[in-house]
Amino acid sequence: MTTANLLDALHQQADEFISLRRDIHHHPELAFDEHRTSELVASKLKEWGYEVERGLGGTGVVGRLRRGNGTRQLGLRADMDALPIDEATGLAYASSHQGVMHACGHDGHTAMLLAAAHHLAHRGRFTGTLNLIFQPAEEGGGGALRMMQDGLFDKYPCDAIFAMHNMPGTPQGRLVLREGAAMASSDYVTVTLTGIGGHGALPHRTADPIVAAASIVMALQTIVSRNIDPLQMAVVTVGALHAGKANNVIPQTATMELSVRALDREVRALLEQRIKSVITAQAESFDVTATIDWKPGYAVLVNTPEETAFAREVALELVGADRVTLQGPALSGSEDFAFMLEKVPGSYLLIGNGAGEGDGHGACMVHNPGYDFNDANVAIGSAYWVLLAERFLAA
């Protein structure tokens, strides 16, 4: 089948999977609560002849399809969870669950992979093993790691693994690839400063944690500017600072919440060392104590060279050079597909959700109450997965 015929075939079946996408959008489920979604995915895969296992990582689903005597094994992954956001799109299929919405397009990612699964089951030409991984809890829950801890790659070994995410602001259907570090690590830090509280009129009898916190906020900004190579990416954000309840009371404690990101593993380690050192030294200088609770989040997402080169070839074959970015910019956001790439070579690519020029999409970034996945990507995204699978598992 030529690429033109493949795209035509996927366009012809797109309406069915757009309806499915909108159904998932209408019934969003948060991390590890994707019971309805996983049931829908599992039932479709079983209907099409896949071997199906549910429950990996809690609510994850894996569908396996084996053909011929080929020995290669391919993994394709889509995420399923929604976000704790009140939807403000006004769409007919908007969320029916208050405070929960598909504001990142995981409904679309699931629909694209299901559309590809349907085509590959009925018309796919390949030999080997196809593992379709529908993952829960990408949004901060670490569902990828949970699936791996439950034996994902022991039960379903893969020679390579790939995933795709939509990107608002990029023209609809444009495929963006990147070799090397593509998305940042994310770590989360809670700092509790404990001093001596007292009357606001007698500050000399206190050890004020608010003053210490203010100094720490400013001192942390020097870590990126004075400790990190200017050519490296690093972010230290103090997103929350809580202390006190009255204007004439110096509180005993203050609490700070930090988000820390890097695109290099060594930079990530340096950030942790310097942040802890700066906080401790600053606290001591104000005669307060600092308790630091460091929670490692997602790893740096690193796309491997050979698999990214292969993914580029598939993109060029499918949509042509005018619609492919061969080496896109790295992103400061995080993605737990990074954990899978630490175990299996592979690549994570982006598909444009629309640039906003009159298409009704693209102006609204993900994690926004007005966001919606661009349904025009269902056909192109699923065609990409079909072509990649057939090329990787060439008969």
Side-chain angles (χ1 to χ4, degrees):
M1 179 181 292
T2 66
T3 54
N5 289 339
L6 174 62
L7 281 167
D8 184 60
L10 272 299
H11 275 294
Q12 287 183 28
Q13 72 167 30
D15 285 348
E16 173 187 350
F17 291 94
I18 289 171
S19 296
L20 184 147
R21 198 281 293 184
R22 294 182 177 185
D23 176 73
I24 295 173
H25 188 97
H26 189 56
H27 300 93
E29 296 169 305
L30 295 174
F32 299 119
D33 194 36
E34 308 93 335
H35 300 290
R36 182 184 184 275
T37 307
S38 63
E39 173 60 33
L40 186 155
V41 168
S43 64
K44 292 292 185 183
L45 294 175
K46 287 179 182 176
E47 178 186 336
W48 302 331
Y50 287 79
E51 305 169 51
V52 176
E53 180 175 358
R54 295 184 60 184
L56 286 177
T59 46
V61 180
V62 179
R64 179 165 61 191
L65 189 63
R66 293 186 271 206
R67 289 238 174 103
N69 56 6
T71 59
R72 300 193 85 188
Q73 302 173 96
L74 172 66
L76 302 178
R77 172 272 207 176
D79 36 18
M80 300 187 294
D81 56 320
L83 283 157
I85 294 175
D86 281 310
E87 182 161 356
T89 63
L91 295 165
Y93 52 87
S95 172
S96 60
H97 301 158
Q98 185 173 2
V100 184
M101 76 167 286
H102 271 291
C104 202
H106 297 185
D107 50 341
H109 304 164
T110 296
M112 288 191 299
L113 191 53
L114 282 175
H118 177 270
H119 183 93
L120 287 163
H122 292 86
R123 303 174 66 179
R125 299 168 61 185
F126 67 90
T127 178
T129 301
L130 176 65
N131 297 310
L132 304 184
I133 301 163
F134 293 85
Q135 180 206 305
E138 187 280 322
E139 296 290 356
L145 199 56
R146 282 279 300 274
M147 291 189 81
M148 291 162 61
Q149 290 168 344
D150 283 353
L152 173 64
F153 293 128
D154 297 322
K155 297 179 178 181
Y156 305 96
C158 298
D159 296 308
I161 189 165
F162 298 87
M164 186 189 314
H165 200 292
N166 76 95
M167 179 50 65
T170 299
Q172 182 271 316
R174 185 174 188 87
L175 300 174
V176 181
L177 300 103
R178 179 179 174 82
E179 179 185 327
M183 297 190 74
S185 61
S186 58
D187 296 313
Y188 307 98
V189 191
T190 300
V191 181
T192 303
L193 301 171
T194 304
I196 300 173
H199 199 294
L202 303 168
H204 60 292
R205 295 186 179 179
T206 72
D208 191 341
I210 294 180
V211 174
S215 184
I216 288 170
V217 170
M218 297 307 296
L220 287 174
Q221 308 312 307
T222 68
I223 293 175
V224 174
S225 67
R226 289 299 177 266
N227 297 124
I228 306 300
D229 184 335
L231 299 180
Q232 293 277 14
M233 172 270 183
V235 176
V236 179
T237 295
V238 181
L241 172 55
H242 303 286
K245 295 182 179 179
N247 64 7
N248 65 344
V249 177
I250 293 174
Q252 183 156 322
T253 63
T255 303
M256 305 167 61
E257 301 283 347
L258 282 66
S259 172
V260 183
R261 297 175 184 270
L263 271 170
D264 179 88
R265 291 162 183 154
E266 292 183 2
V267 171
R268 184 187 189 189
L270 177 59
L271 285 171
E272 179 176 359
Q273 182 265 316
R274 289 298 298 139
I275 288 169
K276 289 179 176 178
S277 177
V278 166
I279 289 172
T280 300
Q282 287 283 320
E284 288 177 354
S285 74
F286 289 94
D287 203 23
V288 305
T289 59
T291 302
I292 303 171
D293 181 16
W294 192 281
K295 293 184 174 66
Y298 294 171
V300 180
L301 187 150
V302 181
N303 290 328
T304 51
E306 183 177 343
E307 286 68 30
T308 303
F310 168 72
R312 286 182 182 127
E313 292 173 4
V314 173
L316 291 168
E317 182 180 356
L318 182 68
V319 298
D322 289 345
R323 299 183 68 188
V324 177
T325 300
L326 297 177
Q327 184 71 354
L331 302 176
S332 58
S334 303
E335 161 65 70
D336 71 347
F337 187 65
F339 293 124
M340 294 189 179
L341 290 175
E342 289 184 327
K343 298 296 182 183
V344 179
S347 198
Y348 182 88
L349 67 144
L350 305 175
I351 184 169
N353 202 55
E357 292 92 359
D359 59 6
H361 294 275
C364 190
M365 185 48 72
V366 295
H367 293 219
N368 184 294
Y371 167 86
D372 188 34
F373 180 83
N374 193 327
D375 284 329
N377 277 336
V378 170
I380 295 175
S382 58
Y384 181 83
W385 285 143
V386 169
L387 187 61
L388 185 141
E390 292 188 336
R391 293 293 179 263
F392 191 89
L393 304 173

